[in-house]
Amino acid sequence: MKPLRLRNLTPQVALIPTWAIVIFAYIGTIVWTIRISFTNSGILPRYDFVGWKQYDRLFHSQRWSISVENLAIFGVLFIVGCLVLGFLLAVFLDQRIKGESWFRTIFLYPYAMSFIVTGLVWAWIMNPTLGIQRAVENWGWTSFTFNWLSRGDRAIYLLVIAGVWQAAGLVMAILLAGLRGVDEDIWKAARVDGIPAWRVYLSIVIPMLSSMFVTAIVLLAIAVVKLYDLVVAMTGGGPGISTEVPAKFVIDYLFNRQNIALATAAASVMFVAVLVVLGPWLYSQYFRKGRGAQ
Amino acid sequence: MKSLAGRRVAGIAGIVLAAAAAGPASAAKKAEVIHWWTSGGEHAAVMQFEKAFDAQGGKWVDAAVAGGGGDAARTDGINRIIGGNPPTAMQFNTGKQFDELVSNGLLRNLDPLAAKYGWKKVINPVVLSAVTRNGHMYAVPVNIHSNTWLWYSNEALKKAGVEPPKTWDDLFTDMDALKKQGLIPLAQSGDAWTQVLTFFNVLVGEGGKDLYLKVIKDRDVAAVKSPEFLKVAETFGKLRNYVDNGMQGRQWNQAIALVINNKAGFNFMGDWAKGEITHDGKVPGKDVGCIAGLGHHVYWIGGDVFVFPKVKSKAEQSAQDLLAKVMLEPKVQVAFNDKKGSVPVRTDVSTAGMDACAQQGIALLQKGDYVPSSDILISPDVTGSITDLVASFFTDKSQTPQQFADKFASIIGG
C-alpha cells in the first residue's frame, strides 16, 4: 500500500507548478473578469459594485443581439458545412485514387493559412468591383450581380463560405485517418452481403468514426467561439454592424471604447454560454465513456 | 475567453517592449515617444519633432505603433502606464481619451511648464480647455485637425457640367449629374468611423453649430427629436443612394484616391486627406477642391495631443520638460503642421504660407465659427454607440430617418 501511495505522490508534486498556473492564470483571471463585470470600470479596473447594470445594458444592446445571432448562424452552418464537405473529401480520397497525396495537400492547404489571409482573399473575391461580379460582367453578362459582401442580410453567409473553405481540409484529414483505420474485413463482409457502399458508410463507418467526429466538432466549435480575425479581415463587422460577433464586441469595448466593465460582462456571458453548452456534452463524450472503456 | 488571452498577450508585448526600451542609459535626454503616425506624410511630420528635439540635446526614441486609427498605440501605451513602466510621452486625440489616466493621477501636471513658457496665453482656447482638467493642464496639444471637409474633383464636376455646391441641395443636384455620367457621385469608405465622419459633416453643415452643440455637448434629447435633426437624418439617409457597390472594404485613402483620380465626384474626409492629395502631386484647393463644412461653414476642432506620464527619474522628467517645450516652439509648430496638413495650436504664429484649404479653415477659426470635436465632448463609449448606429443606418436602406432619430435620442439620453 505504502509504495503505491508514494508513487502517487510523486506525480502530484510534479504537477504543482501546473496546478499553480491553472489556479492563478486561468481560474484567477476568470474570477477577476467576472468581478470586473459587476463594476463601473472604464479604462482602468475600479472595484465598486453596480449589480447587473452592465448585463442589463448588454442584453439591451442591438449590437450584442446581432452578434449572438450571427454566432449562431455561423456556428451551425460552419460546423455542418465543414463536417459534410470534409467527410465527402475524405471518402473521395479513401478510394485509393491516383495522386492521392497531391489532392490531400491541396485540400489541407487552406488550413495552413491564417483566418486573416483567408478573410482578405475572400473579401477581394467577393468584392463586387474587383471579384466574381466584375469578372462575370467582363465576360459579357452585364446584368450579373453578386454583391453579398455589401448586403447586410447576406454578408454573414460569405463568412461561412470562407470559414468552410479554410477548415474543411482539417476535418478531411481527421476523418481520413479514421477511414484508414476501418478494418478491411468489414468491407469484405459487406460486399459478401451485397450492401451498397453508401449504406456501409452511413450505417457502419460513420458510427465507427464517432470519436473522430467528436474531435472535429470540438475543434470547429472552438474556432466558432473565438471567431474574430476572419470577421476583422473580411468585413470588419460590416456592412454596418451586420456581421459583428461576440469576440469582436469584447475586444472593441475593452480597448477602443474604454469600457472594460461592459467588455468583461460580454466575456463572462460567452464563458457561461460555452460552459453550459459544451460542459455536459464534453463530459459525457470523454470522461464517462473513457472511464467505462477502461 | 478571447479577451483574457488578448489581454495577456498585450501585457506580455508591453513588458517585452518596455524591456527593449530600457537599454543602456545615455547622457542625452532620452525620450521614448508612443504615437501612431506611420503613413508617409505623417512620418515626415513627426520627423520635425524628432529633429528639433535631438538638436536641443535630446534623444528621440521612436515607438510608433501602426494600425486602427491609434487603437493599437493607445492600447500599448495605456498598458505600460498602468503596468508602471510608462513611456516618456504618448499620443492621444484631443479630447476625453486620457480622462481616466488624469483622474487616477497617472499623468504629470504641466502647469509649471505652461507658466514658464506662457502657453496658456497663446494656445487656442478650445484646444486649451480640452487638455485642461480641474484647471490644470495635462497634455501638450500639437495640432488642430478638422473632420468636416468636403473634397471634390474639379475635373469630374466639369465633365458632369456642374459647379461646386454651395448648399446641400446643390450637392444632390451635382451628384445626380455625376451619376448620369457614370461617375461615382460619392466616394465613401466602408469603415464605420468614416461613415460617422460623414454623419458629423451633415450634422454640422446641414444642422449648424447650435444644433450640433445642443445634441453632442448638452446631450439635449428634445433637440434630437426636433424637426431640424430629422432633416439632418433625412439628408444623411439620402446620401446612401449615391455611394457605389465597392464601398465595403474600401479604406479612407482609397476613397479620397477616387476623387484625386477623377473617378468620383465627392468625398467627406478630414484635412489629413491633403497628405494624399499632395502626395499624388496635386494641389489642394486647385485640382481637388475643398469646402469646410458645406452649408453652415463651421470648422471642427480636433487634433492630437501628447501626455507625459508621471516618471520617477529626474533625467526622464527633464527629457519630458524639453520635449514639451520643443513641441510648442513656434518654428517647430509651423514645420510640423505644414507636413501634417493641420493648423498650429499657437495663435501667434504666421500661417500665411499655408495652402488655400488651410486658409479657409483659419478664416473660420478667426471668425469664431468653430465647434469642438465629438472626441472632446463625448466619451469613447458613447462615440462607440453612435458609431454602431450610424454605420448600421448608412448601410441598410430599409431604416428610416425617423427610426435613426429615435435610436439616436436613446443613446444621447442614456
Side-chain angles (χ1 to χ4, degrees), chain A residues 1-11:
Chain A
M1 280 302 271
K2 220 176 178 184
L4 188 70
R5 242 190 233 155
L6 260 181
R7 230 183 299 152
N8 275 343
L9 192 68
T10 322

Side-chain angles (χ1 to χ4, degrees), chain B residues 107-315:
Chain B
L107 299 183
R108 259 185 78 178
N109 180 345
L110 302 175
D111 277 351
L113 290 174
K116 191 170 163 193
Y117 301 111
W119 288 338
K120 290 191 180 176
K121 273 173 255 151
V122 293
I123 293 175
N124 175 295
V126 176
V127 174
L128 184 65
S129 80
V131 296
T132 303
R133 304 284 183 278
N134 306 321
H136 305 296
M137 189 171 166
Y138 281 98
V140 166
V142 292
N143 59 11
I144 301 175
H145 267 304
S146 178
N147 291 21
T148 53
W149 288 92
L150 175 61
W151 307 93
Y152 58 88
S153 155
N154 270 321
E155 203 177 310
L157 292 196
K158 216 178 279 168
K159 208 169 159 194
V162 290
E163 291 290 308
K166 295 217 161 47
T167 65
W168 285 85
D169 289 334
D170 288 354
L171 177 67
F172 287 112
T173 322
D174 286 5
M175 290 200 295
D176 282 327
L178 285 159
K179 217 181 202 171
K180 269 190 205 131
Q181 286 293 318
L183 294 159
I184 301 169
L186 181 64
Q188 175 70 45
S189 150
D191 287 352
W193 69 268
T194 66
Q195 292 161 1
V196 173
L197 188 144
T198 300
F199 169 72
F200 278 125
N201 258 289
V202 183
L203 180 57
V204 170
E206 171 84 302
K209 187 175 161 180
D210 292 342
L211 183 67
Y212 171 84
L213 289 176
K214 262 190 220 156
V215 170
I216 302 297
K217 189 179 175 200
D218 307 337
R219 298 179 70 167
D220 177 359
V221 176
V224 181
K225 293 192 168 152
S226 68
E228 288 82 17
F229 189 85
L230 190 63
K231 179 92 173 73
V232 168
E234 277 164 2
T235 305
F236 182 56
K238 220 169 146 188
L239 289 175
R240 293 181 293 193
N241 302 322
Y242 295 94
V243 298
D244 67 317
N245 245 334
M247 176 175 84
Q248 199 57 37
R250 185 186 286 149
Q251 309 287 315
W252 72 268
N253 49 337
Q254 294 165 319
I256 189 73
L258 287 172
V259 173
I260 296 171
N261 301 327
N262 308 314
K263 285 184 187 141
F266 296 97
N267 174 235
F268 290 103
M269 191 41 63
D271 45 16
W272 51 90
K274 276 195 281 193
E276 299 295 311
I277 296 168
T278 47
H279 185 77
D280 281 16
K282 306 253 175 130
V283 180
K286 203 171 128 224
D287 302 309
V288 178
C290 53
I291 298 169
L294 178 67
H296 281 85
H297 296 295
V298 179
Y299 193 82
W300 157 293
I301 295 187
D304 304 283
V305 303
F306 279 88
V307 300
F308 298 88
K310 281 186 181 154
V311 288
K312 286 195 193 87
S313 85
K314 277 265 181 314

Side-chain angles (χ1 to χ4, degrees), chain B residues 38-94:
Chain B
T38 48
S39 86
E42 289 171 341
H43 179 70
V46 82
M47 279 299 286
Q48 303 299 320
F49 282 153
E50 187 175 336
K51 268 195 295 191
F53 182 62
D54 287 0
Q56 300 192 26
K59 187 170 182 301
W60 177 285
V61 180
D62 204 59
V65 183
D71 289 349
R74 290 195 293 269
T75 304
D76 179 39
I78 291 167
N79 249 316
R80 285 185 49 188
I81 292 172
I82 295 167
N85 198 341
T88 316
M90 170 185 175
Q91 183 192 357
F92 278 100
N93 286 123
T94 311

Side-chain angles (χ1 to χ4, degrees), chain A residues 32-33 44 57 63 259, chain B residues 4 7 82 100 381 388 395:
Chain A
W32 185 83
T33 301
L44 293 170
R57 181 172 162 197
R63 175 164 163 178
N259 189 339
Chain B
L4 290 175
R7 194 160 343 125
I82 295 167
E100 282 210 41
D381 193 8
D388 288 345
T395 52

